Every structure is written in C-alpha cells, then in structure tokens.
Amino acid sequence: MEPVADPVVPAPAPPPIYVTQPELPPLQDFVAALEQIWDSKFLTNGGQFHQQFEAALCEYLGVEHVSLFTNGTIALMTALQALGIGGEVVTTPYSFVATANALLWNGLQPVFADIDPATFNLDPARIEAAITPRTTAIMPVHCYGNPCDVERIEAIAKRHGLKVIYDAAHAFGVRQDGRSILRHGDLSVLSFHATKVFNTFEGGAIVCRDAAMKQHIDHLKNFGIADEVTVVAAGINGKMNEVSAACGLLQLKGVDAAIGKRRAVAAHYRRLLAGVPGVRCMPAPVHEANDGYFPILVGDDYPLGRDGLYQKLRDAGIHARRYFYPLISDFPMYQGIASAAPENLPQAAAAARQVLCLPIYPGLEPGAIDSIASLIKSS
Ligand SMILES: *Cc1c(COP(=O)(O)O)cnc(C)c1O
C-alpha cells in the first residue's frame, strides 16, 4: 500500500483573546484553603473565611462595613430592600442590565436619565429633572469605574430627601483624593463576578457606614433570621459561601499587582491609538482607577464604523465587547417606560452606538496589544 502523504496541516489559529480573563490565586494556596474547609466541615453561614474576608476587605477598601453576598445582583436587590425603597428610582440606561433588573424585581419603577458623555455616568442635571413626587431614590453606576459626580448627586439627594444606592460593580478599589469612592451614598454595591477586576468566581458585597445598617443587611441576606427562634424580616438567601470567601481572601494579596498590570495595558493602548483617525480613547484618569475596562469611541468618521471594527477584530479572534449596547432602556421590559424614549437619552444612545471595550486584563501580552492596535489602525 502506498503510504498516504501527510495532509498539509494549516498552522493552528492563535487562541482567541477575550475582553477579559479572570485572575486566579495561586492554586496551591487555594488547595490549602480548601483543605481547611474540608477539615472544618464549615461550608457557609459566616464561617472563619467569611469573617476574615469581610475584615480584610474593610481594611483594603478603606470602608467601615462590608456585608458579603453570593453575587452583585442579589446584593443590589437587598440594598434596595434594606433602605425600604418604593415608587420610582432614577437610574442610568447605560449599564449592565442587572442595574435595572434589580429595580423591577423589587417592584420599583425605573426612571431613566441621560448620561454625561465625558464620563458615561448619570448627568446630575438630568437626574434632578427626572425627579417626581414618587421618586424615593437614585441608583447611579460608576461606569467603567469612573467616579460619578458624587458631590452633586449628594446635594440633589439632600434637597429632595432621596436615598442613593451606588451600583459600584465596576469600582472595586477606586479612590478619589486618596479615599474610597465606596464611601459615598447610603449604600454601595460591589460585584466579584469572574469578569470583574476582583473576583471570587461569583460574589458581591454591600458597603455601608453604620453597624446597625450592617446588622440589618446581614439579617436580610440570611432569610431575616436574627437568632434560632427569631425572624425579623422577609429576607432572602444571599450569603457568600466559605469557598468563595477563602478565594477572595487570597485574591486580595494579588489585586494591587493585577491593577498595576492593567494600568500598563491601558497606557500601552493610549500610546498606540493616539491620533488614529475616528478613534478616541478616554483621557488617562486623574483619580486612582482600576482600569477594569478600556472603552474607545469609534466615530462616524472611522471607515469601518464601530460594528465593522467589532467584526474585523472578531474575525481575527479578538473579542472586544460593545459595552453597553443595546441600552437597558431598549430591552423589551423597559422600552415602554416613558423615560426610555430615545429622545430622552441622546447621549446614552450616542455612547451605545460608538463604544467598543477592548480586551484588558493583567496577563494581556504587549504583543497582543500591538496586534489589536494594528488591526484598528489599518482600517
Ligand atoms: C456585573 C454587574 C452587575 C451584576 O453583578 P453580578 O455579581 O454578576 O450579579 C451589576 N451591575 C453592573 C454595572 C455590573 O457590571
């Protein structure tokens, strides 16, 4: 029999590059923590890792109280319950859908206000214009970890007697003038989902300022149980388990180094993309950022357009993301709300049309950044 010639094997395609890649603690450290959990048989309900992680987070973030949760969405829903929010809540259409979903799950009416195109955050003037007699709270998002105009929002809330719940899912470790951005508002909510700057696989937290509120939140996340025979509220199960808490404790050790590497990736992109026609990067932040996202604005003068660039990168195995497109206000369950009308949200609509978030994570190689920038430039 004739030997069959080897078929010509094409060079394997390089592995795809996703918009983010999660950080993980050293495996042997995680295994050692798992061994402790196995030995103790204490799996959840505020075990030693949960307690240590809460204390370590307060210290790292520079905040008074942290209550850990199973994920950021349940934390958002619980935060609204903890403050007894009713009626209408002014929020942003330019976010991940969980922001508004948390309102609907609490039977609240979202009222969308437009964003400031310089920061992608709620425009305080538009917040104030959206307030009605039924408004009880404002739920802004520190979009991409950019701090909201916290002072003006606080002044508006005071003037109208409103609560402020920050969706701070993007804002882990963000500081302004040396102080945590999470100290603002009545409550701030973090997400530790795998795609975020800091992860516990799944997880989240509520940050609050006083011990009584922390106690109330801790009851709410544990069915409302105060002790063996006492239930004080119709709570939910939002508790973080010991494996996630142990993971978080280990992750804290590496988070500064990880954010430092992200910062270098962002700086590299900014250098390479400066002056590319039709493409605009956000200016380097003046606050202590976490570089969780690297949004670029792709203008109408960019030959391929935003979606053309998105597809071109995708064809090359690079999965940039159109965060946030579509707007929350364009999803079917929100579309019918009066404030969801596109005329009410022109800046949010423009951002949704133009933004592309490029891959950014600590392990993203400089060579990959060069390739991504070359693809963007060559259009
Ligand atoms: C990720 C995210 C959430 C939800 O957090 P989970 O931990 O995934 O439930 C909420 N809001 C924003 C802005 C997010 O990015």
Side-chain angles (χ1 to χ4, degrees), residues 12 32 42 276 316 341 350:
F42 208 114
V276 176

Side-chain angles (χ1 to χ4, degrees), residues 71-73 95-96 98-99 167 169-170 191 193 196 203:
N71 62 58
T73 303
S95 180
F96 181 58
T99 307
D167 180 340
H170 299 177
S191 166
H193 184 257
K196 305 300 204 276

Side-chain angles (χ1 to χ4, degrees), residues 212-238:
M213 178 56 77
K214 152 98 173 132
Q215 175 73 266
H216 182 41
I217 291 167
D218 284 347
H219 287 155
L220 285 177
K221 79 174 183 190
N222 188 30
F223 313 99
I225 293 174
D227 65 43
E228 234 174 82
V229 293
T230 317
V231 175
V232 294
I236 194 149
N237 181 0

Side-chain angles (χ1 to χ4, degrees), residues 37-327:
I37 293 169
W38 259 241
D39 289 344
S40 73
K41 312 253 185 304
F42 208 114
L43 309 185
T44 186
N45 287 32
Q48 59 152 329
F49 285 111
H50 186 283
Q51 289 175 36
Q52 286 175 40
F53 183 35
E54 277 192 351
L57 266 179
C58 286
E59 161 109 29
Y60 177 83
L61 296 170
V63 297
E64 274 117 327
H65 299 283
V66 166
S67 185
L68 295 173
F69 275 80
T70 184
N71 62 58
T73 303
I74 298 280
L76 272 178
M77 287 167 50
T78 306
L80 292 160
Q81 288 275 329
L83 296 171
I85 304 302
E88 295 177 1
V89 177
V90 179
T91 191
T92 173
Y94 193 77
S95 180
F96 181 58
V97 71
T99 307
N101 283 356
L103 297 174
L104 280 199
W105 272 62
N106 271 301
L108 301 167
Q109 177 74 40
V111 175
F112 297 108
D114 207 2
I115 60 170
D116 173 348
T119 61
F120 304 104
N121 289 327
L122 277 174
D123 177 342
R126 301 304 306 267
I127 295 175
E128 194 149 30
I131 293 170
T132 76
R134 284 175 40 79
T135 309
T136 61
I138 308 168
M139 194 154 80
V141 177
H142 299 296
C143 190
Y144 309 133
N146 291 329
C148 288
D149 191 338
V150 288
E151 261 108 51
R152 279 182 72 194
I153 291 173
E154 189 179 332
I156 292 167
K158 265 216 181 104
R159 204 150 49 234
H160 297 271
L162 307 176
K163 302 285 187 196
V164 181
I165 303 106
Y166 281 104
D167 180 340
H170 299 177
F172 186 90
V174 173
R175 288 168 173 266
Q176 213 168 23
D177 304 322
R179 305 192 80 194
S180 174
I181 198 70
L182 306 170
R183 304 172 64 88
H184 296 277
D186 293 279
L187 300 174
S188 287
V189 176
L190 290 164
S191 166
F192 307 146
H193 184 257
T195 54
K196 305 300 204 276
V197 164
F198 175 89
N199 85 82
T200 59
F201 289 27
E202 292 265 7
I206 301 179
V207 174
C208 71
R209 284 203 231 98
D210 69 90
M213 178 56 77
K214 152 98 173 132
Q215 175 73 266
H216 182 41
I217 291 167
D218 284 347
H219 287 155
L220 285 177
K221 79 174 183 190
N222 188 30
F223 313 99
I225 293 174
D227 65 43
E228 234 174 82
V229 293
T230 317
V231 175
V232 294
I236 194 149
N237 181 0
K239 303 185 302 291
M240 178 179 279
N241 70 67
E242 284 290 276
V243 174
S244 285
C247 177
L249 208 48
L250 294 171
Q251 295 282 50
L252 271 183
K253 297 183 185 174
V255 69
D256 283 335
I259 291 173
K261 289 181 189 165
R262 285 175 172 276
R263 190 157 302 154
V265 172
H268 194 155
Y269 272 131
R270 277 199 188 87
R271 273 195 302 276
L272 295 175
L273 295 177
V276 176
V279 169
R280 198 150 58 80
C281 300
M282 295 296 100
V286 288
H287 59 278
E288 289 172 64
N290 64 18
D291 293 286
Y293 299 83
F294 195 83
I296 60 170
L297 289 174
V298 184
D300 297 335
D301 48 336
Y302 185 78
L304 287 178
R306 192 272 309 265
D307 289 345
L309 176 58
Y310 165 81
Q311 194 56 49
K312 178 183 178 179
L313 292 173
R314 194 149 177 136
D315 293 345
I318 292 151
H319 297 247
R321 291 295 299 269
R322 289 168 288 190
Y323 292 145
F324 291 97
Y325 164 85
L327 293 177

